[in-house]
Amino acid sequence: MKLSDFTFKLPQELIAQEPLEDRSGSKLMVLDRKHHSIEHKKFTDLLDELHSGDCLVLNNTRVMPARLIGEKPDTHGKVEFLLLSRQKQNQWEVMVKPGKKAKVGDLIEFGNGMIKAEVLEIMDGGNRLVSMTYEGIFEEVLDQLGQMPLPPYITKQLEDKERYQTVYSKHSGSAAAPTAGLHFTYDLMKKIEEKGVAIAYITLHVGLGTFRPVKVENVLEHDMHSEYYFIEEEEAEKINSAKKKGGRIIAVGTTSSRTLESVANEDGIIRKSSGWTDIFIYPGYSFKIVDALITNFHLPESTLIMLVSALAGRDFILEAYEAAIKSSYRFFSFGDAMLIK
């Protein structure tokens, strides 16, 4: 399986730079695998695609405002941190720009000393392990100083940080949003539940590895990034109950799909669990629990387009992407949506 099998040409102007004013105002492309058909709808039409007894699975992770701009107090040189993961209570793995300004023992201050960081270690791959000191609750200080770590293809800063959060976000820990969920509103979710569709929540903290390009031509040689997940017992029971009664398990986003497929046994049953997953889903994979998927339009040659190709078939996905380009769909994080059923 070659990397070039998953490429397509995307006009730059179709990369959405900001969210729509109305979260659920995007387009929805519906791919029917059984009939090999493509329909063009609105996202609010999702209500017509769901049936009583189905279970919609949402990732309720919350994005940290993980981008910090600071300086070295001795030289006043600017330093940018991107918080990747908490290692211990006050120790973080961070990505640093420029890296040469963050040697072991260096001190960096953010917000005139509201956060002080000492570089403890240079890790494999060049990231740094740093120790943070601050007063109060770290998350509250971070909310004051941090910026949203938007994907590299988005060049505008958000005026409202909440537009890069789902309305149901709960557990802070992600470096990127589970973007398929950005289309949902409280009103739409209420109507979905009134229709008899169960809504279950799982958590997978999205890492920046989701944007890391695949650099090997042989896809099977790609080293997949690892991300932390957890599923509560009550949510697992909702999913298992729907499955047992013949309802469809509809994952919202590739992150929900990866989590479900990581924890499901061969019978498609899941249990309360937590841990790290580096599952890599590509064509040839047999899904154990996911019956349908709501997702955005992904980057060419990414692990995400490989995942959706595993569910719908590579040729069908590339056909759908070509149709999306012809119909001027908006692509990537703030773009339009696709339902694969």
Side-chain angles (χ1 to χ4, degrees), residues 5 23 75 82 99-100 123 125 146 166 181 184 190 206 219 225 270 341:
D5 291 337
R23 281 180 181 266
T75 65
L82 198 56
K100 63 183 180 181
M123 306 176 75
T166 61
F184 287 85
K190 182 182 176 184
V206 188
V219 168
H225 61 284
I270 68 171
K341 64 177 185 176

Side-chain angles (χ1 to χ4, degrees), residues 63 89 108 143 155 196 230 269 272 281 291 314:
V63 186
Q89 179 59 30
I108 296 131
D143 272 340
T155 56
F230 62 89
I269 303 299
K272 173 185 177 180
I281 297 176
D291 299 304
R314 184 190 72 96

Side-chain angles (χ1 to χ4, degrees), residues 188-335:
L188 180 57
M189 291 170 69
K190 182 182 176 184
K191 290 176 179 175
I192 287 170
E193 288 189 299
E194 288 173 348
K195 192 167 183 177
V197 176
I199 295 181
Y201 297 96
I202 55 91
T203 306
L204 179 133
H205 291 318
V206 188
L208 285 178
T210 193
F211 301 120
R212 192 178 63 176
V214 179
K215 295 182 178 179
V216 288
E217 179 59 15
N218 181 355
V219 168
L220 304 186
E221 295 176 358
H222 176 64
D223 183 21
M224 192 68 177
H225 61 284
S226 185
E227 295 168 318
Y228 182 75
Y229 70 86
F230 62 89
I231 300 177
E232 301 290 357
E233 188 169 346
E234 181 182 346
E235 306 306 312
E237 286 176 2
K238 286 183 194 175
I239 296 165
N240 291 334
S241 175
K243 191 81 173 177
K244 185 178 180 180
K245 294 174 182 175
R248 296 175 300 172
I249 305 304
I250 302 167
V252 177
T254 55
T255 61
S256 296
S257 296
R258 293 179 67 240
T259 306
L260 290 169
E261 291 298 320
S262 295
V263 302
N265 64 20
E266 291 305 317
D267 296 322
I269 303 299
I270 68 171
R271 300 277 183 259
K272 173 185 177 180
S273 56
S274 63
W276 293 83
T277 178
D278 59 358
I279 189 171
F280 183 13
I281 297 176
Y282 50 83
Y285 179 84
S286 294
F287 284 82
K288 295 177 288 187
I289 185 169
V290 173
D291 299 304
L293 171 65
I294 298 165
T295 186
N296 281 15
F297 290 85
H298 304 294
L299 277 76
E301 300 185 347
S302 64
T303 59
L304 306 182
I305 196 171
M306 294 173 196
L307 185 152
V308 297
S309 295
L311 186 62
R314 184 190 72 96
D315 291 344
F316 193 18
I317 284 293
L318 291 180
E319 179 186 332
Y321 272 51
E322 185 177 340
I325 291 168
K326 286 181 179 177
S327 298
S328 297
Y329 275 64
R330 301 163 76 246
F331 275 67
F332 306 161
S333 295
F334 290 138

Side-chain angles (χ1 to χ4, degrees), residues 112-148:
N112 295 319
M114 289 178 67
I115 296 177
K116 296 179 181 179
E118 179 185 358
V119 180
L120 301 178
E121 179 187 332
I122 298 177
M123 306 176 75
D124 291 344
N127 293 338
R128 268 56 171 179
L129 180 67
V130 301
S131 175
M132 305 279 205
T133 56
Y134 50 89
E135 288 188 7
I137 300 170
F138 182 72
E139 284 74 15
E140 292 180 357
V141 179
L142 189 62
D143 272 340
Q144 289 183 57
L145 301 181
Q147 300 175 9
M148 280 299 172

Side-chain angles (χ1 to χ4, degrees), residues 87-98:
Q87 302 296 306
K88 294 180 183 176
Q89 179 59 30
N90 293 319
Q91 292 184 11
W92 286 81
E93 179 182 353
V94 302
M95 187 182 295
V96 183
K97 289 198 310 189

